[in-house]
Structure formats: C-alpha cells, structure tokens
Amino acid sequence: MSDHQQPILSVRHLKTRFHTAEGTVYAVNDVSFDLFDKETLAVVGESGCGKSVTMMSILGLIPIPPGEIAAGEAHYLGRDLLKCTENEMESIRGKEIAMVFQDPMTSLNPVLSIGHQITESLRAHLNMNQEEANHRAVEMLELVGIPDPASRLKSYPHQFSGGMRQRVMIAMALTCSPNVLIADEPTTALDVTIQAQIMELVYEFRQRLSMSIIWITHDLGVVAGIADRVIVMYAGYIMEQASVIDLYEQPHHPYTLALLAALPRVDLRRQHRLLSIPGAPPNLLVEPVGCPFTARCQFAFEHCRSERPPLFTTGEGHQTACWLDPKTGQPR
C-alpha cells in the first residue's frame, strides 16, 4: 500500500489481558498494524497466538471481566473504537465492521430461524420494515449460493450443512454492505472443496462491495491466493509483516521460515517428510521476557533471551521482530 494512503483501520500498541484463577494471561502484547481501503490483510499464526483475541478486542467483544484491554488504540475512520460506548459499538458492528466466526453452529442461534437472524441486523441498522428485510435476506442467500432461498428463510441452523451454515454467516455479515469484513478462520472445519468455494465467495464480495478484509488463519497455504499483505503472530506478538509476495519470496523471521517449511509440497518426492517446529509455544501466564520464539528457534543467541526485539524495517513495507539481521546473517 502507498505510504500516502490513509488506513481505514489503524491499531497501535494493543494489549489484552485475561485475569483468571491461575493468573494473568498475556494474550495480546503490543500489537500495531494498519488496514487499508480495499485490501485483504491476512493474520497468520498457530492456535492461541492472539489472532482472534486481537480482532475481538477491537470490536469490543472481549468479556470484561475476566478480560481487560490494558493499553492501545484502534482508530477506525478517525474514531478510537476502544473508547466507544457499547451503544456506539453496536451501531458500528454489523453495519460498518462485520465478523464471520470460525464455527457457525455456535455463532448462529439454534432456536431462531435463519430469516429472523439475517433480518434482525437489517431492521436495526438500515431501518427496513419486515417485508423489505425479508426481500433483502432472500437476495443475500441467493448471492451466497443457498438454493431455494425464499423457503430457507424459515429453516433453522441445524437444517443446513456445515458449508451452507458458513454461507449463511457470510450472508449475515455482508447484508449491510460493511466497509470491513473480519473472517476468523471461516473455512477451518470444512473440506477442501467447500473451503475453495467459500474463499471464492468472499473474494467476489470483496470486489463487489469494495471492502477491506482481515482474514485470520493458521494456514499459510491459504494466504497466497487471497491476501495483499500478511501479519505473522506468535504468543501475542507480531513477528513479521510484509506483502504476500515478499513474505513467500524473502521470509525474514525464523518463525515464518519454520511455518513455510512445514507446508506440504507437491514438487517433492513422496518420501519427503513434513517438517514440524520443535517444542511448544510459551506459557502465556508468564509475562514474556526476550523474544517469545527463543526456545524453539535454531538461530537464537543470548541477547534473544534478555530483550524483546522491536519490529525492524527490513525492506519496503517489510518488518521483522528479530535480533538476527537477515541481510548479513549476523546479530544486530
């Protein structure tokens, strides 16, 4: 993205904590990023790295307590979302920023019809009457590929397959034509054929509605075909961010290198074993000291254990939180 373009969403120094009986969970740690108009930003990392919590913090969906937004700002078109009241956030969620969650069976209300759930946001945000809302809901279900949409308005979530429920969630999220869509691993529980259909569907709507997308995933293989830029997260921190082409061609952080090495390859012989990252992620009940990837990193040296690296600029639009200089291969 151009340096002169203003971001539609600008997050700075976000920190989210959960205060539990076992102690404080340091879930999101000093996260900063920008989302620009009409771009797709992928947020990648293994389970528990803070991807979803970051986005739910921005949308005011963290339960407080036990959660706490300890610090940070999230400016959306000039307004700090973290300072908005609940009423103000209700007017933004769904209408301007919409979210598709990972598991539609837990996101859809099992005792309300699909039609009721889709028309609810239309009546709340666009002041439509029931007839207008029903007409719009039928249009949206048709657009996302639900057969016989008019009769399916009366159906309940359990009467749809997993792929169809995810299509309904997308229809609900896009029904008010939001500026930003946050898709939280929307294809994880689906088979690869349905995954491809859902990704194609979201891409079509991005073009049609000229919206920005944040696509959360643990699968770097998914990212190549959909994203403009990529953020790699680990243990609540951003490890690396770059354009999707740069990240694949010149990954700079050891964690990104390990993720890419773990991807299945069709160009290698059958006997080739998949690589894995040794060790386990750090305990987030302990406040991090140094680089959180140190214990699993083959390039780690003493300084990595004592001081957390900032995001160094390593190329145009490319930042890496690593004490190892990727150009020289030497410690900074």
Side-chain angles (χ1 to χ4, degrees):
M1 291 293 139
S2 167
D3 293 337
H4 305 296
Q5 187 181 351
Q6 288 297 312
I8 191 171
L9 176 66
S10 182
V11 176
R12 290 292 176 270
H13 308 298
L14 179 66
K15 296 181 180 179
T16 303
R17 309 284 183 254
F18 290 95
H19 304 289
T20 70
E22 290 78 23
T24 298
V25 178
Y26 295 86
V28 177
N29 302 299
D30 200 26
V31 164
S32 299
F33 67 89
D34 291 323
L35 174 70
F36 293 93
D37 190 31
K38 301 175 186 174
E39 84 160 336
T40 299
L41 175 68
V43 183
V44 180
E46 55 199 280
S47 297
C49 73
K51 308 182 298 293
S52 300
V53 174
T54 295
M55 303 310 156
M56 293 176 75
S57 300
I58 292 166
L59 288 179
L61 296 174
I62 296 294
I64 299 174
E68 177 199 7
I69 310 297
E73 300 173 344
H75 290 278
Y76 167 71
L77 297 178
R79 300 171 69 185
D80 188 352
L81 298 178
L82 302 185
K83 291 194 170 112
C84 287
T85 64
E86 180 56 28
N87 283 341
E88 288 172 330
M89 285 307 300
E90 283 182 3
S91 70
I92 292 171
R93 285 194 299 257
K95 184 180 181 184
E96 298 185 51
I97 304 176
M99 191 162 181
V100 177
F101 294 94
Q102 179 173 345
D103 184 0
M105 203 57 206
T106 57
S107 304
L108 293 168
N109 191 323
V111 301
L112 295 177
S113 69
I114 292 300
H116 181 98
Q117 296 184 63
I118 296 177
T119 57
E120 189 175 28
S121 63
L122 289 167
R123 287 183 282 119
H125 292 304
L126 302 182
N127 297 317
M128 289 184 176
N129 61 36
Q130 192 62 53
E131 185 180 349
E132 291 170 331
N134 282 343
H135 181 71
R136 172 72 169 159
V138 169
E139 282 184 342
M140 290 305 299
L141 289 179
E142 188 173 17
L143 284 171
V144 299
I146 302 289
D148 195 14
S151 66
R152 298 315 295 267
L153 286 183
K154 298 174 185 176
S155 300
Y156 290 83
H158 72 272
Q159 296 173 299
F160 289 79
S161 68
M164 287 298 172
R165 282 196 293 266
Q166 198 58 279
R167 288 171 185 270
V168 169
M169 286 293 296
I170 292 168
M172 287 176 61
L174 299 180
T175 192
C176 293
S177 302
N179 292 325
V180 178
L181 176 70
I182 300 173
D184 186 1
E185 305 211 39
T187 62
T188 297
L190 307 175
D191 66 57
V192 290
T193 305
I194 306 298
Q195 280 187 30
Q197 291 173 3
I198 296 295
M199 288 167 62
E200 182 65 28
L201 185 63
V202 173
Y203 181 79
E204 285 176 17
F205 273 101
R206 173 196 163 183
Q207 304 298 103
R208 186 180 305 211
L209 300 178
S210 298
M211 64 181 173
S212 305
I213 297 174
I214 297 176
W215 189 286
I216 301 170
T217 182
H218 63 270
D219 186 356
L220 258 178
V222 166
V223 166
I226 60 170
D228 300 305
R229 288 190 303 123
V230 185
I231 288 172
V232 179
M233 287 188 69
Y234 183 80
Y237 292 96
I238 291 179
M239 298 284 102
E240 186 163 9
Q241 53 183 327
S243 72
V244 68
I245 294 172
D246 275 0
L247 194 86
Y248 278 87
E249 289 187 349
Q250 297 182 18
H252 290 161
H253 198 280
Y255 179 56
T256 311
L257 287 162
L259 286 178
L260 288 169
L263 286 176
R265 295 276 298 275
V266 296
D267 59 335
L268 295 175
R269 287 181 301 176
R270 207 182 234 175
Q271 298 93 316
H272 178 75
R273 292 177 63 86
L274 285 176
L275 298 175
S276 62
I277 304 174
N283 182 2
L284 295 181
L285 287 165
V286 179
E287 187 166 12
V289 176
C291 173
F293 191 59
T294 300
R296 306 173 77 184
C297 180
Q298 59 177 316
F299 304 106
F301 55 99
E302 195 55 42
H303 190 50
C304 302
R305 296 174 178 82
S306 59
E307 186 178 357
R308 183 172 66 86
L311 277 168
F312 294 101
T313 298
T314 55
E316 186 176 350
H318 199 147
Q319 293 181 304
T320 309
C322 184
W323 289 117
L324 193 73
D325 187 332
K327 292 176 181 168
T328 65
Q330 298 299 314
R332 295 183 190 275

